[in-house]
């Protein structure tokens, strides 16, 4: 069926030509789930060799890593190159990367699996709870996802490392045959196979075509960690120079001949569609304006300059259908959740013997809807050419976006050409998948409609206001917590109820040893579109869980950091990062003479463990976060400086949310619109963030999101020390 | 016609006088290193220099730039001859998504031209551009490195 054929075609056409030989068990298993282990095919096209799905070796001995992930600043390409360079035994100067096409062959089952697993699997220690993370596997082939902090740990560590190790074996075998020597007498170094006895050698480029014809080794061993030359080293990211020189191309920078520009005004009420436009004729008289039309969730104006389009769309007078959301306010959503929590709930986790007696410590927490606010607003450029629909956009899932565009245009996916671009921020906004049925690609849908309607090349760009008001939001969540202490001050029981669809139990369960835990949730939907927001449920539930454990510690009159340690196994990753962060920060419990105090939080997410200490105080301007220390256990840190950058960035991302972030609902729409009322932390108020990566033998974990969840609780916990006031809702300012 | 001098080149544009400079640069002259983030002068992604002073071009009418020298990120440095700020930005691996970084660098270049040896407070006061990826720690460090190098 199509798999072999498709890879064949990619080798020939899309990836840039090449001899495609010997795909199969290596790498390819990720997309076919072991159904195809021995596929092989031959196709000579030019003189470079695609040894397997992930690697191409050129005659001049460049090793090209084909990266199925898209860039939003996380440094994936470099991390993958490091892994391959070590395992195949090449020099850094040989390494290149190339973006994979938006094609099924590069859909990433494992990545998606990792994503789903993170969302729905119970913690390991909860034992026999059913793992239901795979029930959407049918969707798998549509996913070429960058998300779930999965690129380096799954694509890289699981797949590419295997592919590179096997490729090295195949190169050795090819050389052994050519030289007619025992393979054991050969070694690899710097992209060559060397026969030391005779001094003969071949470059990988010379061997690639032969190597690709060989059987796949079953037992290609990985290098030991002490042989790594690249993994574990801070290497400059290959995407950085173009961003510094401003030559990197983002979706919004697209240029197509005779391109027009569209601006969008939203209907103003989630779900409500526009029924008619009152002043279309008048709008069309404005300079440069060529079209005014109704699109899903709004109206569009097409003009010959984006500013003219934006000016005109703001003047469109339209009629809107009435909708159940017309009178929706934040208070209604909160009340609705409170009612739901009083009703029948889904059980998330229940451990230990039920404890008699009252839970006398109670807390209700609330976090708001949040927009992603990527610095580059949503945009797509769409046009028809030679019977094909062309799309330029930056997305976290090019294949999903390609499919969505095809569906909207009523075309076959093969008739859509997707030109993937650098993203000016992703954070979960630019995925093409939702668990809720909400449409994260509504901007792409609009762009396709507009281009087809106008029969022109059109770049559709959302204004900041439209972007803020048309997001798929981080869900507003209400959480109710109850606990009781044993005589020794340790928690005796822990109960929580919270609101959320298809909850990730890992995110809502406490990581601490507590005799009786009962975690339940109201598995109900939201009235407005929701989606994945950097760190997904961990951002809300990390705040709840780590605030409540702090409340218990305070009730027990205990140092909150020591209290946590007393509830963790001594040799656990959690204990190790807590000890580390205590050491880095010079942990102290209690406010100093300047009224500054420290707070701590600990969150496992995406296979990694992070503890943070925030030093904060209340000042005349409100809350001030002075310094942040992060101790990270992500197993193997492939590129430590990139890990540091991701964690620092995540802290500032989370700090904006903790201090200022909220999207209020009024009359069915979002009140906030731009950075004056949806504030981001600026440089002056950004705390210095120190990151330490602890040595560990934990499995490799994700990195991009793990710095987010501990920040808000650590900050709020610090403030509670300064003034004894427990802040149970965000934002703090 | 609006006459603009951008990076030393004269452009004669048939645009409305009130069109923000940003859109004239990006779409009429195809200089797309300067970015759009908010349109209200809040984020600084659109920062350019006008007669050496950093300006948020999304909120600056094109007509107001007539007769002045407009410089964009494209004029600051190149792959062969990067500006000291750009070298420092690479050394410290500042960008994440990179979208805010042309505006950031324009703000930083203006700062160093004005004040070759800025303190933390000086940096705080002038670097008011927003970075959603949170690259602030490295921006601070890179400005100090560039300042040392430029002395
Ligand atoms: S786009 Fe000009 S300041 Fe934001
Ligand atoms: S690097 Fe992404 S917004 Fe600054």
């Amino acid at each position: 069926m199509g798999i072999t054929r498709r890879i064949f075609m990619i080798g020939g056409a899309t990836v840039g030509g090449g001899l495609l030989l010997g795909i199969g068990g290596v790498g390819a298993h990720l997309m076919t789930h072991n159904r195809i282990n021995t596929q092989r095919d031959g196709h000579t096209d030019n003189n470079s060799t695609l040894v397997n799905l992930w690697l191409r070796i050129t005659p001049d001995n460049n090793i090209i890593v084909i990266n199925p992930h898209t860039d939003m600043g996380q440094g994936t390409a470099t991390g993958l190159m490091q892994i391959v360079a070590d395992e195949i035994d090449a020099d850094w100067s040989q390494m290149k990367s190339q973006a994979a096409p938006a094609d099924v062959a590069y859909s990433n089952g494992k990545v998606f699996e990792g994503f789903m697993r993170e969302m729905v699997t119970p913690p390991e220690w909860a034992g026999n709870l059913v793992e239901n993370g795979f029930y959407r596997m049918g969707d798998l082939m549509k996913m070429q996802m960058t998300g779930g902090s999965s690129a380096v740990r799954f694509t890289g560590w699981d797949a590419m490392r295997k592919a590179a190790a096997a490729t090295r074996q195949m190169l050795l075998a090819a050389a052994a045959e050519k030289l007619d020597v025992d393979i054991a007498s050969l070694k690899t170094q710097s992209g060559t196979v060397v026969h030391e006895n005779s001094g003969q050698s071949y470059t990988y480029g010379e061997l690639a075509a032969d190597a690709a014809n060989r059987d796949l080794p079953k037992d290609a061993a990985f290098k030991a960690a002490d042989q790594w030359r690249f993994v574990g080293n801070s290497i400059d990211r290959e995407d950085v120079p173009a961003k510094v020189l401003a030559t990197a191309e983002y979706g919004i920078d697209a240029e197509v001949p005779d391109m027009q520009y569209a601006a969008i005004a939203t209907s103003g009420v989630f779900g409500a569609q526009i029924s008619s436009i009152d002043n279309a004729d008048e709008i069309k008289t404005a300079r440069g304006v060529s079209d005014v039309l109704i699109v899903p969730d709004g109206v569009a104006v097409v003009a010959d300059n984006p500013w003219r389009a934006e000016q005109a769309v703001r003047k469109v007078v339209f009629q809107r259908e009435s909708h159940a959301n017309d009178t929706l306010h934040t208070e209604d959503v909160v009340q609705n959740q409170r009612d739901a929590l009083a009703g029948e709930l889904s059980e998330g986790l229940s451990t230990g013997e039920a404890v008699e007696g009252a839970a006398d410590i109670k807390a209700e927490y609330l976090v708001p809807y949040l927009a992603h606010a990527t610095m580059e607003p949503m945009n797509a450029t769409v046009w028809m050419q030679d019977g094909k629909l062309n799309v330029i956009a930056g997305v976290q899932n090019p294949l999903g976006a390609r499919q969505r565009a095809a569906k909207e245009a009523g075309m076959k996916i093969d008739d859509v050409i997707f030109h993937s671009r650098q993203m000016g921020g992703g954070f979960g906004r630019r995925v093409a998948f939702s668990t809720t049925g909400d449409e994260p690609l509504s901007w792409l849908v609009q762009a396709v409609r507009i281009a087809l309607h106008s029969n022109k090349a059109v770049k559709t760009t959302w204004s900041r206001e439209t972007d803020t008001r048309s997001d798929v939001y981080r869900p507003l969540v209400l959480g109710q917590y109850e606990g009781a202490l044993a005589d020794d001050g340790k928690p005796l029981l822990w109960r929580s109820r919270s609101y959320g669809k298809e909850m990730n139990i890992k995110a809502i369960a406490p990581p601490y040893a507590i005799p009786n835990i009962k975690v339940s949730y109201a598995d109900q939907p939201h009235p407005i579109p929701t989606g994945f927001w950097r760190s997904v449920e961990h951002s809300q539930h990390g705040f709840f869980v780590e605030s409540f454990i702090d409340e218990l510690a305070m009730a027990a009159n205990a140092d909150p950091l020591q209290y946590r340690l007393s509830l963790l196994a001594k040799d656990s990753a959690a204990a190790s990062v807590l000890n580390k962060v205590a050491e880095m920060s010079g942990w102290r419990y209690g406010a100093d003479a300047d009224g500054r105090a420290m707070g701590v939080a600990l969150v496992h997410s995406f296979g990694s463990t992070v503890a943070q200490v925030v030093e904060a105080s209340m000042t005349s301007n409100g809350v001030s976060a002075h310094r942040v220390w992060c101790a990270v256990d992500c197993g193997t840190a492939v590129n430590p400086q990139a890990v540091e950058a991701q964690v620092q960035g995540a802290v500032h991302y989370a700090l904006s949310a903790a201090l200022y972030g909220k999207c209020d609902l009024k009359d069915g729409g979002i009140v906030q619109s731009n950075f004056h009322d949806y504030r981001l932390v600026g440089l002056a108020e950004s705390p210095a963030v120190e990151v330490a990566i602890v040595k560990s033998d934990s499995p490799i974990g994700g990195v991009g999101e793990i710095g987010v969840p501990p920040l808000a609780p650590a900050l709020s916990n610090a403030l509670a020390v300064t003034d004894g006031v427990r802040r149970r809702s965000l934002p703090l300012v | 016609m609006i006459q603009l001098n951008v990076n030393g080149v004269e452009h004669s544009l048939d645009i409305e006088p009130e069109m923000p400079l940003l859109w004239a640069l990006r779409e009429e002259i195809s200089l797309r290193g300067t970015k759009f983030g908010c349109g209200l002068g809040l984020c600084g992604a659109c920062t350019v220099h006008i007669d050496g002073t950093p300006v948020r071009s999304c909120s600056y009418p094109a007509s107001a730039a007539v007769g002045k020298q407009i410089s964009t990120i494209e004029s600051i440095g190149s792959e062969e001859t990067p500006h000291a700020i750009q070298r420092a930005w690479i050394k410290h691996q500042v960008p994440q998504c990179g979208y805010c970084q042309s505006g950031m660098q324009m703000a930083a270049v203006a700062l160093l031209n004005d004040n070759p040896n800025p303190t933390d407070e000086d940096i705080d006061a002038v670097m008011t551009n927003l970075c959603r990826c949170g690259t602030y720690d490295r921006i601070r460090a890179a400005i100090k490195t560039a300042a040392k190098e430029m002395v």
Side-chain angles (χ1 to χ4, degrees):
Chain A
M1 73 136 218
I3 298 289
T4 318
R5 165 103 188 108
R6 187 165 302 283
I7 297 166
F8 178 94
M9 281 172 45
I10 285 168
T14 334
V15 187
L19 190 62
L20 172 70
L21 299 160
I23 52 109
V26 182
H29 74 285
L30 287 184
M31 63 171 191
T32 55
H33 310 284
N34 295 320
R35 275 181 307 180
I36 300 173
N37 277 317
T38 53
Q39 294 290 348
R40 56 184 39 219
D41 210 329
H43 171 59
T44 307
D45 180 71
N46 69 3
N47 51 8
S48 75
T49 305
L50 186 64
V51 183
N52 52 55
L53 194 61
W54 311 109
L55 301 177
R56 171 186 298 283
I57 300 176
T58 65
D60 54 353
N61 215 14
N62 284 323
I63 294 164
I64 302 167
V65 175
I66 299 166
N67 175 11
H69 297 286
T70 43
D71 183 65
M72 45 192 177
Q74 71 284 43
T76 303
T78 308
L80 299 180
M81 286 158 67
Q82 288 174 263
I83 291 168
V84 169
D86 263 333
E87 216 52 71
I88 204 168
D89 213 355
D91 280 347
W92 192 245
S93 59
Q94 293 176 262
M95 301 305 299
K96 305 276 177 299
S97 89
Q98 184 184 351
D103 201 288
V104 169
Y106 287 93
S107 68
N108 41 16
K110 197 73 177 176
V111 170
F112 183 61
E113 176 191 312
F115 197 57
M116 291 306 295
R117 196 205 286 269
E118 183 59 33
M119 293 194 297
V120 290
T121 317
E124 296 79 9
W125 48 265
N128 56 3
L129 290 179
V130 183
E131 172 145 3
N132 54 352
F134 300 100
Y135 63 100
R136 277 185 223 274
M137 282 305 213
D139 279 351
L140 206 60
M141 299 307 275
K142 290 185 219 153
M143 293 290 148
Q144 187 180 338
M145 177 86 95
T146 300
S149 295
S150 57
V152 171
R153 62 175 166 147
F154 293 134
T155 306
W157 207 245
D158 282 1
M160 289 199 179
R161 193 163 65 119
K162 218 172 269 177
T167 301
R168 180 175 162 275
Q169 279 304 318
M170 290 154 78
L171 291 161
L172 279 165
E177 195 173 291
K178 264 185 186 265
L179 292 166
D180 197 18
V181 298
D182 182 13
I183 193 166
S185 68
L186 297 172
K187 62 170 199 171
T188 56
Q189 66 183 41
S190 302
T192 52
V193 179
V194 180
H195 185 240
E196 279 187 323
N197 294 346
S198 66
Q200 288 176 286
S201 68
Y202 287 107
T203 67
Y204 288 177
E206 289 165 341
L207 296 168
D210 281 350
N213 270 325
R214 305 196 65 86
D215 287 332
L216 286 159
K218 289 196 181 65
D219 54 353
F222 293 133
K223 273 192 184 166
D226 59 6
Q227 291 178 282
W228 292 337
R229 299 158 65 208
F230 307 109
V231 171
N233 288 326
S234 286
I235 287 184
D236 281 1
R237 276 167 36 216
E238 57 116 44
D239 55 300
V240 164
K243 291 172 180 173
V244 169
L245 296 163
T247 53
E249 263 188 76
Y250 298 82
I252 203 168
D253 300 330
E255 173 141 14
V256 176
D258 301 322
M259 181 171 70
Q260 300 288 301
Y261 302 84
I264 306 286
T266 58
S267 79
V269 174
F270 288 109
Q273 300 303 323
I274 308 291
S275 50
S276 64
I277 296 172
D278 295 353
N279 59 344
D281 289 342
E282 178 198 328
I283 296 292
K284 279 189 200 165
T285 62
R287 178 171 171 187
V289 171
S290 57
D291 210 350
V292 184
L293 64 148
I294 295 171
V295 292
D297 308 318
V299 294
V301 166
V302 181
D304 59 358
N305 177 290
W307 173 75
R308 291 184 190 122
E310 186 63 38
Q311 296 295 105
V313 85
R314 288 175 189 229
K315 297 198 183 98
V316 172
V317 180
F318 56 76
Q319 302 303 317
R320 181 174 65 212
E321 290 172 353
S322 66
H323 191 278
N325 279 345
D326 280 345
T327 57
L328 187 69
H329 290 243
T330 302
E331 299 75 51
D332 304 327
V333 177
V334 174
Q335 190 53 49
N336 187 29
Q337 293 202 3
R338 201 169 276 129
D339 294 347
L341 295 190
E344 200 173 323
L345 300 178
S346 303
E347 183 171 291
L349 178 69
S350 181
T351 62
E353 292 288 304
V355 175
E356 292 298 315
D360 50 0
I361 304 171
K362 295 187 193 228
E364 185 181 87
Y365 302 99
L366 178 65
V367 294
Y369 289 118
L370 291 178
H372 294 76
T374 61
M375 199 53 87
E376 178 195 17
M378 298 302 111
N379 65 84
T381 303
V382 181
W383 73 102
M384 285 295 297
Q385 191 177 328
D386 304 329
K388 305 276 190 198
L389 187 79
N390 284 261
V391 179
I392 296 177
V395 290
Q396 289 174 246
N397 181 352
L399 181 56
R402 183 178 168 208
Q403 217 136 17
R404 187 67 189 88
K407 184 175 159 208
E408 197 56 35
M411 295 168 71
K412 289 203 290 287
I413 185 161
D414 287 342
D415 292 327
V416 176
I417 302 174
F418 193 87
H419 310 265
S420 200
R421 290 289 183 271
Q422 167 71 43
M423 286 174 272
F427 316 118
R429 177 65 187 90
R430 288 182 154 96
V431 298
F433 167 75
S434 80
T435 51
T436 53
D438 297 324
E439 177 56 86
L441 296 180
S442 58
W443 45 281
L444 177 62
V445 169
Q446 292 172 341
V448 170
R449 290 260 184 114
I450 294 164
L452 293 179
H453 184 269
S454 313
N455 202 17
K456 289 180 181 132
V458 183
K459 184 194 299 189
T460 298
T461 306
W462 279 1
S463 64
R464 175 59 54 192
E465 290 77 9
T466 297
D467 196 86
T468 305
R469 290 175 169 165
S470 312
D471 208 332
V472 282
Y473 298 85
R474 195 281 301 265
L476 176 154
V477 182
L478 187 74
Q480 296 171 338
Y481 280 67
E482 296 168 4
L485 304 183
D487 292 342
D488 62 358
K490 289 190 179 178
L492 185 62
L493 73 88
W494 175 292
R495 290 182 199 138
S496 78
R497 296 179 291 275
S498 56
Y499 188 96
K501 196 90 196 114
E502 296 181 1
M503 205 60 104
N504 173 8
I505 309 304
K506 265 184 179 167
I508 63 177
Y512 302 107
I514 297 170
N516 178 213
I517 299 173
K518 191 168 157 52
V519 167
S520 48
Y521 61 100
D523 188 12
Q524 293 183 35
H526 285 264
I528 69 168
T530 56
F532 306 120
W533 191 92
R534 196 172 189 177
S535 85
V536 199
E537 288 107 325
H538 293 287
S539 81
Q540 303 107 328
H541 297 273
F543 175 65
F544 301 166
V545 169
E546 284 298 297
S547 291
F548 195 59
I549 193 71
D550 222 71
E551 296 208 36
L552 298 185
M554 275 197 162
N557 262 320
D559 175 318
L561 196 145
Q562 294 305 327
Y563 192 74
R564 285 172 172 82
L565 279 173
S566 76
L567 305 173
L568 293 163
K570 285 212 164 35
D571 57 354
S572 61
S576 113
V577 293
L578 273 175
N579 283 317
K580 180 70 189 173
V581 84
E583 173 202 319
M584 294 165 72
S585 62
W587 168 258
R588 65 158 202 279
Y589 177 43
D592 70 7
D594 300 325
R596 295 182 178 199
M598 292 182 176
V600 66
L602 164 79
V603 178
H604 295 288
S605 66
F606 303 92
S608 295
T609 310
V610 179
Q612 288 180 11
V613 166
V614 177
E615 186 179 49
S617 65
M618 296 301 296
T619 65
S620 48
N621 319 328
V623 179
S624 197
H626 306 287
R627 291 187 70 179
V628 180
W629 297 266
C630 312
V632 175
D633 180 350
C634 58
T636 304
V638 172
N639 191 348
Q641 68 93 353
V643 174
E644 179 196 64
Q646 284 298 303
V647 174
Q648 287 176 331
V651 163
H652 299 305
Y653 192 88
L655 184 60
S656 293
L659 291 178
Y660 311 120
K662 61 173 174 174
C663 286
D664 296 314
L665 272 167
K666 187 163 176 275
D667 299 327
I670 296 294
V671 174
Q672 285 74 14
S673 61
N674 206 318
F675 296 130
H676 63 287
D677 56 6
Y678 193 69
R679 267 181 78 181
L680 307 184
V681 164
L683 182 141
E685 59 183 326
S686 71
V689 182
E690 198 180 310
V691 179
I693 300 165
V694 302
K695 276 211 177 339
S696 95
D697 27 0
S698 309
I700 189 168
V703 163
E705 305 171 79
I706 59 174
V708 170
L711 187 279
L715 173 57
S716 163
N717 293 343
L719 296 176
V721 177
T722 67
D723 60 8
V725 178
R726 181 55 63 174
R727 292 158 180 83
R728 297 196 179 95
S729 69
L730 298 178
L732 296 167
V733 174
Chain B
M1 285 304 224
I2 301 272
Q3 201 70 25
L4 294 180
N5 184 305
V6 185
N7 302 334
V9 179
E10 289 290 334
H11 296 268
S12 196
L13 304 177
D14 178 15
I15 57 172
E16 300 84 332
E18 69 272 24
M19 179 184 285
L21 182 58
L22 172 67
W23 300 113
L25 293 171
R26 281 182 58 83
E27 308 299 343
E28 305 292 323
I29 312 180
S30 291
L31 285 172
R32 294 202 170 86
T34 306
K35 302 300 190 212
F36 164 71
C38 69
L40 292 182
L42 300 167
C43 74
C46 62
T47 304
V48 300
H49 296 174
I50 294 183
D51 288 343
T53 304
V55 156
R56 296 189 170 174
S57 64
C58 70
S59 309
Y60 192 95
S63 55
V66 173
K68 299 179 177 160
Q69 300 289 329
I70 304 162
S71 317
T72 69
I73 185 73
E74 286 85 356
S75 72
I76 295 300
S78 64
E79 198 172 344
E80 295 73 35
T81 53
H83 189 278
I85 277 287
Q86 294 179 313
R87 287 196 296 274
W89 244 243
I90 291 172
K91 175 163 191 274
H92 288 274
Q93 296 279 292
V94 172
Q96 289 188 25
C97 84
Y99 193 76
C100 72
Q101 299 293 346
S102 71
M104 279 293 175
Q105 293 180 95
M106 293 306 279
V109 168
L111 164 65
L112 292 185
N113 286 344
D114 211 41
N115 176 356
N117 194 11
T119 62
D120 274 327
E121 289 67 39
D122 298 335
I123 295 173
D124 282 356
V126 169
M127 296 300 293
T128 55
N129 292 12
L130 299 175
C131 173
R132 184 54 161 156
C133 299
T135 60
Y136 300 127
D137 299 83
R138 292 184 179 189
I139 288 172
R140 206 183 273 285
I143 289 175
K144 290 181 181 168
T145 297
K148 277 202 203 96
E149 205 191 306
M150 285 170 73
V151 172

